[in-house]
Amino acid sequence: MSRIALFPGSFDPITLGHVDIIERAVPLFDEIKIAVGTNSAKSYLFPQEQRVQWIEQTFAHEPKISVITYEGLTVDFAKDQGVQFLLRGLRNPADFEFEKAIAQANREMIPDLETVFLLTSARYAYISSSIVREVYNHGGDFQKFVPATVQP
Ligand code: ADP
């Protein structure tokens, strides 16, 4: 049976930190589905279509990777997609505490869906989509923190 991971997130926009996690996950799985979520309680800077396109362009050379969109509970979507693993990145203790609670709640709901965490590489650990949005909104050099495909 092939090992399929779902990497859910907002990717508003995709950053070099996300790219690092995804590239390091490629050898671990047969397939990685990057799932761009829409949450009605959240507002996004970049439209979903654009967030998806930037990820597709970033990984155009990697046949194991596909990009999909979803709404609603990540675990429900993971079940619909038939994946066995959820992939998440950890940057710092705050991420750990947050992700731990989500992963434990998810396990209560779907016990056979395993969450796999990769620790971010130190050089990208400070990068977040929210910092990129802040720099972009103020006309700063956000390109340092994102793959070259991100061209708003
Ligand atoms: P969410 O809205 O779910 O937080 P994000 O797009 O911000 O979505 O993040 C998706 C995943 O990527 C999360 O697991 C997050 O911890 C991880 N991530 C975000 N930025 C980085 C980074 N700089 N290095 C490693 N992982 C990261």
Side-chain angles (χ1 to χ4, degrees):
M1 194 161 114
S2 62
R3 292 167 172 268
I4 310 175
L6 189 79
F7 186 37
S10 307
F11 306 100
D12 188 28
I14 184 165
T15 69
L16 293 178
H18 295 127
V19 172
D20 174 58
I21 295 291
I22 295 163
E23 283 178 344
R24 287 168 42 219
V26 165
L28 305 178
F29 299 103
D30 298 305
E31 200 181 325
I32 299 171
K33 297 180 183 215
I34 303 175
V36 180
T38 298
N39 177 341
S40 52
K42 270 193 180 178
S43 58
Y44 300 96
L45 179 61
F46 300 110
Q48 189 183 62
E49 216 173 281
Q50 201 161 43
R51 288 183 273 138
V52 167
Q53 199 183 51
W54 289 332
I55 305 170
E56 282 173 348
Q57 290 168 349
T58 305
F59 296 105
H61 60 284
E62 181 44 75
K64 282 186 180 179
I65 295 177
S66 58
V67 188
I68 46 184
T69 61
Y70 76 106
E71 274 178 65
L73 268 189
T74 302
V75 284
D76 289 342
F77 184 66
K79 200 173 175 188
D80 288 349
Q81 291 288 315
V83 308
Q84 310 99 312
F85 304 99
L86 280 185
L87 174 66
R88 297 289 285 175
L90 292 179
R91 286 165 288 191
N92 50 45
D95 272 359
F96 172 73
E97 289 301 331
F98 181 74
E99 295 289 342
K100 182 177 72 167
I102 294 178
Q104 288 172 340
N106 285 346
R107 175 163 314 143
E108 282 300 309
M109 292 184 279
I110 304 191
D112 53 4
L113 179 68
E114 197 64 72
T115 304
V116 174
F117 297 104
L118 291 185
L119 205 57
T120 186
S121 300
R123 58 196 284 232
Y124 299 125
Y126 67 94
I127 299 177
S128 66
S129 293
S130 59
I131 289 180
V132 172
R133 292 195 298 274
E134 187 77 8
V135 174
Y136 170 80
N137 279 333
H138 292 91
D141 185 7
F142 68 94
Q143 303 276 8
K144 284 184 171 5
F145 312 119
V146 296
T149 50
V150 176
Q151 297 282 349

